[in-house]
Amino acid sequence: MKRLTTSKTAIAAALAALALAGRAHAFEAFTVKEIRTEGLQRLEVGTVLTYLPLSVGDRLDDNTSRQAIRALYGSGLFQDVQLMRDGEALVIVVQERPAISTFTIEGNEKIGGDELKKSLKDIGLADGELFRRELLDQVEQELRRQYYANGYYDVAIETTLAEEAGSNRVSLKIKVTEGKVTKISDINVLGNQVFDDETLLEQFEQQASDWVPFQRSDRYSKQKMVGDLEKLQSYYQDRGYLKFNVDSVQVALTPDKESIYITVNVTEGEIYKVRERRYSGETVLNQAYLEALTTTRPGDVFSRKEATETADRIEAALSDIGYAFAEVTPVPEIDEAKREVTLNYVVQPGKRAYVRRIAFIGNNGTNDETLRREMRQLEAAPFSKSSVERSRVRLARLPFIEEAEVETKPVAGSDDLVDLQFKIKERPPGSVQFGVGYSGAQGFLVTGQITHTNFMGTGNRLDLSLENNTISKAANFSWTDPYFTEDGISQSVSLFYRESESVIRFSSGFNSNIIGANLTYGIPLSEYVILRAGVGVEETAIETFPGSSSTEVLGFVVRNGSRFSTYQARTGISYDSRNRTFFASRGALHSLSLDVAVPGSDIEFYNMSYRAQQYVPLPFKFTLELNASVGLVDSLNSDGDVPPYENYFAGGPRTVRGYRDGSLGPLDSNLNYFGGKLRTTGQAELIIPLPIESDGRSTRMSAFFDIGNVFAEPGDFEAGDLRQSAGIAFSWFTPFLGLLDLSYAFPLNDELTDEVDRFQITFGSGF
């Protein structure tokens, strides 16, 4: 058997091929009649033939042999390749690269987990992968990179390689000695005259060690330092120092590798002011509108932040009229002599884009039309960024949608068409359940409930519930069609029956049976405003008990009878811009409602209420939630009679925490809680981000301040009578109990007659 070409190097494929080109032996070219392989252990012959640029019938010469060697080395599967001739047969003799049988890391307590595994796998280090010696250097570099990024500069890494005899496999073991974390001992800024060191160092994420427990900001990271220097530059340029420059940065590591000293040398320069602003390019928008979007005024100190924000506003305005890929660049034209800047906003709108197609992904249980009717961006219409975002928010607010994301994709081969793809994550739309719950106002509840918020994929809501608790028995049925008409008018129909021994758990004196029905329509007046209009009818029977019913209840029955019918006209208007219906993080809700028992009813009265919510995003993912409500019920007649079950109550998780449910306000003649005609409450909550959940959609913790009370008559209101409390609260959407609310409150101005209840819990689907 004659050797044609030989190589026994283990260098990279390209270098091996070049070396072979100079070492090839002269031989007589021949036509390959057969191809055989030798030396294969794990691989199949077909694998070799896949990479071999030759086949039976091809002619083998100097050129084609070199090509074959390059191709086989280039596969990365072999560390040695030889081509041999046996008559008219080509024999390929190979030595396979060894496989990694086991790979272990010891001592890496601070660095590890999925991120490290992914990094090592990306460079080819994992069980079953082919081993290359250059991997060892790459592994060490990757480990050092991750340790350095976390402040460990004293790390030692030792690699042990063991070959398994006769199996062409190797085992790899890496031992890490982490050492102590290296801390920043001091950061110095040199060259600053205008701002002191303390002010400038406040802009840095990294800080010198001050021995605060669990401090992590004192760990040096090159990536974080780049970010800190950018923040420092922004701080100066936002205050007019256009020519500010970081001249150099020195990072000194002590010999024991326990401390780092950082020195930043800067040149502040002079303050520049805005001379004028101009708009160039294809501006599209008229001059007056562009100036209304611009906050940089002539004579103002130059601010890079304001210039960038102005450019963003112009881009957003262009995107709302179809220019999806508009670019606006603020270019400062500098007059060095006068230290003035002319801000030239260069507008490049590109072509006006139209939406070709809107698609939904993930809506397994929802009809396409149910989602499509929420769209404010339409197909074949000009692209509008605000309409697309509003469409996404409307999807996210649906009760059967947990999350909605949108992606804008340019259409291949077209510069004026885009596709929109909404990625939907559904939550279970319905449930059939039997369970127990607890409410401070109602005690323990036993409930049976059928709920479906997306009936047959149509978005219609069906509710059927039966409830039995300490004070009442109830049955309810309701059906809501959010798109009763194509214009978005909703229709709700409900039937209910309630048999109650008292209004709340801790009041008594009469029983009531109520049966009724409601028909309500919701009419959208704008994107955020809905008008409510409807009618209701109720048949009520009240039972009193001589000797135990209060004077107030007995007097009401004497004047109005114990059985009466009411016919109600229901109306209201609401404004809702919240980003989510539950656990919102921004936006507002304002709702005003008025229900009137119209003439023809056995008793005539009205019930008016106003509710307001405001969510204010704060730095560091905190959110401020403000709630306020006012409720007023009163008679339309001169006698002032209102059904006692229509009275307002306060105290408890929904109004003023720290006081027993329904215990605030007037008492009746039997010293039972009787409620009142006027209720005013307010709640301020600082929502605290939790490390266990980043989006805050299923859990929420807050610190709160509550204030409120109930008054027998509107004229009895006194600000000094408002009860106050403060504390902490936790809410969680549990898989089995529904919404769980926990709170611990400290009453701040309770009276001796008030019933304090610091720890309060509410759970279950019945409230």
Side-chain angles (χ1 to χ4, degrees):
M1 188 161 55
K2 182 179 180 181
R3 178 187 298 173
L4 301 180
T5 309
T6 308
S7 171
K8 290 188 178 180
T9 67
I11 61 177
L15 294 178
L18 291 175
L20 287 168
R23 296 175 51 199
H25 298 280
F27 65 91
E28 182 180 349
F30 71 100
T31 300
V32 178
K33 297 294 182 64
E34 182 187 356
I35 299 176
R36 300 198 304 268
T37 61
E38 293 181 4
L40 293 178
Q41 292 180 313
R42 298 184 312 277
L43 301 175
E44 300 292 335
V45 174
T47 303
V48 178
L49 298 180
T50 298
Y51 292 99
L52 186 69
L54 291 171
S55 59
V56 174
D58 290 341
R59 189 169 179 78
L60 186 67
D61 54 24
D62 287 341
N63 184 44
T64 55
S65 65
R66 292 190 182 97
Q67 291 177 1
I69 291 293
R70 291 191 185 97
L72 292 174
Y73 268 108
S75 69
L77 301 173
F78 311 106
Q79 64 181 6
D80 186 39
V81 177
Q82 299 180 33
L83 300 184
M84 311 289 285
R85 178 178 179 179
D86 185 8
E88 300 300 315
L90 172 62
V91 182
I92 304 172
V93 183
V94 298
Q95 182 180 350
E96 297 177 359
R97 289 188 181 278
I100 300 173
S101 60
T102 58
F103 165 61
T104 58
I105 303 180
E106 295 179 356
N108 58 318
E109 297 179 0
K110 306 298 182 182
I111 302 297
D114 294 338
E115 181 181 354
L116 178 61
K117 291 179 181 178
K118 183 179 183 302
S119 299
L120 297 179
K121 188 174 182 179
D122 288 343
I123 64 176
L125 190 57
D127 292 352
E129 295 286 344
L130 295 179
F131 173 72
R132 293 176 287 116
R133 291 199 174 270
E134 56 267 26
L135 277 178
L136 300 182
D137 291 335
Q138 294 179 25
V139 169
E140 183 172 342
Q141 291 173 10
E142 176 61 21
L143 283 172
R144 290 190 184 279
R145 182 191 68 80
Q146 293 205 26
Y147 272 101
Y148 289 172
N150 286 272
Y152 290 87
Y153 286 84
D154 194 25
V155 61
I157 300 172
E158 180 183 352
T159 304
T160 303
L161 180 67
E163 298 183 3
E164 299 179 6
S167 65
N168 200 27
R169 294 177 179 271
V170 296
S171 59
L172 188 61
K173 180 179 179 181
I174 297 178
K175 184 179 180 181
V176 179
T177 304
E178 294 177 327
K180 293 183 178 180
V181 63
T182 306
K183 297 185 177 182
I184 301 174
S185 290
D186 197 15
I187 303 177
N188 288 308
V189 181
L190 303 179
N192 54 309
Q193 302 294 329
V194 180
F195 303 107
D196 57 36
D197 290 358
E198 183 178 357
T199 300
L200 298 181
L201 292 178
E202 287 177 355
Q203 314 309 315
F204 284 48
E205 180 181 350
Q206 297 179 119
Q207 299 289 332
S209 179
D210 53 10
W211 307 109
V212 174
F214 310 110
Q215 182 183 6
R216 296 186 63 87
S217 60
D218 59 355
R219 300 186 181 188
Y220 175 76
S221 166
K222 185 177 181 180
Q223 291 79 7
K224 289 182 180 179
M225 177 54 65
V226 172
D228 286 342
L229 296 179
E230 289 179 353
K231 293 178 183 176
L232 183 62
Q233 185 178 38
S234 297
Y235 184 83
Y236 270 93
Q237 292 189 348
D238 290 344
R239 289 157 179 77
Y241 294 90
L242 183 60
K243 294 292 185 176
F244 171 82
N245 186 57
V246 177
D247 300 324
S248 63
V249 179
Q250 290 87 39
V251 180
L253 183 65
T254 58
D256 59 8
K257 297 183 179 181
E258 292 187 1
S259 301
I260 282 181
Y261 293 84
I262 302 172
T263 303
V264 181
N265 296 279
V266 303
T267 300
E268 293 177 320
E270 302 291 338
I271 290 182
Y272 286 74
K273 293 188 176 182
V274 177
R275 176 191 293 174
E276 60 175 327
R277 65 266 179 96
R278 294 192 292 107
Y279 310 94
S280 61
E282 190 178 349
T283 54
V284 180
L285 304 170
N286 64 58
Q287 184 80 10
Y289 189 46
L290 288 170
E291 290 180 354
L293 296 172
T294 306
T295 57
T296 50
R297 309 290 181 187
D300 290 350
V301 172
F302 171 81
S303 170
R304 186 178 73 172
K305 179 182 179 181
E306 286 193 14
T308 302
E309 289 177 348
T310 294
D312 291 342
R313 282 192 293 272
I314 297 174
E315 286 182 358
L318 288 169
S319 71
D320 280 344
I321 57 174
Y323 297 95
F325 307 107
E327 293 184 3
V328 180
T329 307
V331 179
E333 299 172 356
I334 303 172
D335 185 337
E336 296 286 3
K338 297 182 179 180
R339 298 195 186 96
E340 292 181 335
V341 177
T342 297
L343 274 173
N344 180 17
Y345 293 95
V346 181
V347 182
Q348 296 175 306
K351 281 193 174 183
R352 198 175 191 188
Y354 294 82
V355 176
R356 183 186 69 166
R357 183 180 298 119
I358 298 176
F360 302 97
I361 297 176
N363 56 315
N364 300 320
T366 306
N367 298 339
D368 184 86
E369 176 57 31
T370 302
L371 301 177
R372 198 168 295 276
R373 67 193 183 188
E374 302 296 334
M375 294 295 99
R376 294 302 178 258
Q377 171 68 64
L378 304 179
E379 292 179 341
F383 174 89
S384 170
K385 185 177 181 180
S386 60
S387 296
V388 171
E389 175 59 18
R390 183 57 187 167
S391 299
R392 186 198 65 79
V393 171
R394 288 183 66 89
L395 290 175
R397 284 169 52 86
L398 293 174
F400 47 88
I401 299 297
E402 181 176 336
E403 187 177 357
E405 297 177 353
V406 61
E407 184 178 358
T408 302
K409 294 185 175 183
V411 176
S414 174
D415 58 358
D416 63 351
L417 292 177
V418 297
D419 288 340
L420 296 180
Q421 188 177 89
F422 288 89
K423 186 177 181 181
I424 306 300
K425 183 179 180 182
E426 295 179 321
R427 60 163 52 101
S431 62
V432 178
Q433 57 183 335
F434 174 83
V436 296
Y438 178 81
S439 167
Q442 298 171 298
F444 283 96
L445 304 93
V446 178
T447 62
Q449 185 173 14
I450 299 175
T451 300
H452 207 297
T453 60
N454 189 20
F455 189 74
M456 301 292 289
T458 62
N460 296 341
R461 180 185 179 98
L462 169 69
D463 283 290
L464 176 62
S465 66
L466 301 174
E467 179 181 309
N468 186 9
N469 61 55
T470 306
I471 64 172
S472 68
K473 298 176 182 179
N476 296 276
F477 168 81
S478 68
W479 171 267
T480 300
D481 183 351
Y483 279 83
F484 180 67
T485 70
E486 293 182 356
D487 296 330
I489 296 177
S490 65
Q491 181 191 66
S492 295
V493 179
S494 65
L495 305 172
F496 57 90
Y497 172 78
R498 183 178 182 88
E499 180 182 318
S500 177
E501 296 179 4
S502 59
V503 181
I504 64 169
R505 183 183 177 194
F506 302 104
S507 70
S508 60
F510 67 95
N511 292 346
S512 63
N513 292 334
I514 304 174
I515 186 171
N518 292 313
L519 175 63
T520 307
Y521 292 92
I523 305 169
L525 302 182
S526 71
E527 184 62 33
Y528 301 101
V529 179
I530 294 179
L531 175 67
R532 181 175 65 93
V535 294
V537 58
E538 291 182 5
E539 186 73 23
T540 304
I542 292 181
E543 181 183 5
T544 58
F545 307 97
S548 61
S549 294
S550 67
T551 302
E552 290 82 357
V553 173
L554 292 173
F556 174 82
V557 172
V558 168
R559 291 186 296 272
N560 299 280
S562 61
R563 189 180 186 91
F564 42 86
S565 302
T566 56
Y567 308 99
Q568 295 185 335
R570 302 181 181 276
T571 185
I573 190 168
S574 64
Y575 168 88
D576 192 352
S577 63
R578 296 172 298 171
N579 62 330
R580 291 190 292 270
T581 303
F582 297 103
F583 287 173
S585 59
R586 64 178 182 273
L589 169 68
H590 297 273
S591 177
L592 176 65
S593 65
L594 175 63
D595 296 342
V596 180
V598 298
S601 302
D602 293 333
I603 183 169
E604 299 176 5
F605 64 95
Y606 69 90
N607 193 328
M608 183 170 59
S609 65
Y610 172 73
R611 175 191 175 198
Q613 277 187 330
Q614 182 73 50
Y615 294 89
V616 183
L618 300 176
F620 308 108
K621 296 184 179 181
F622 284 83
T623 303
L624 178 63
E625 177 184 349
L626 301 174
N627 293 281
S629 69
V630 178
L632 174 65
V633 60
D634 208 348
S635 173
L636 292 173
N637 300 319
S638 58
D639 58 17
D641 271 344
V642 171
Y645 53 82
E646 292 287 344
N647 281 347
Y648 282 101
F649 292 82
R654 303 292 188 264
T655 53
V656 186
R657 285 162 284 196
Y659 299 86
R660 177 175 286 184
D661 291 78
S663 67
L664 296 180
L667 303 176
D668 62 19
S669 59
N670 291 339
L671 300 182
N672 291 320
Y673 306 117
F674 194 67
K677 295 181 179 179
L678 175 67
R679 181 178 69 188
T680 61
T681 65
Q683 295 179 328
E685 299 200 42
L686 179 64
I687 300 170
I688 304 168
L690 294 173
I692 59 175
E693 184 185 23
S694 60
D695 58 9
R697 295 181 182 179
S698 61
T699 57
R700 176 163 285 186
M701 176 171 282
S702 63
F704 64 81
F705 170 79
D706 292 352
I707 184 171
N709 210 335
V710 172
F711 303 90
E713 299 289 339
D716 296 339
F717 175 82
E718 290 287 346
D721 290 336
L722 296 175
R723 297 295 188 265
Q724 303 171 26
S725 67
I728 58 174
F730 178 77
S731 299
W732 177 31
F733 271 119
T734 66
F736 306 106
L737 298 176
L739 180 62
L740 170 68
D741 282 323
L742 302 171
S743 65
Y744 192 89
F746 298 90
L748 301 178
N749 62 341
D750 54 302
E751 302 284 346
L752 292 176
T753 55
D754 292 335
E755 295 197 43
V756 173
D757 187 11
R758 288 187 172 87
F759 177 74
Q760 294 176 325
I761 178 172
T762 301
F763 62 86
S765 58
F767 32 86

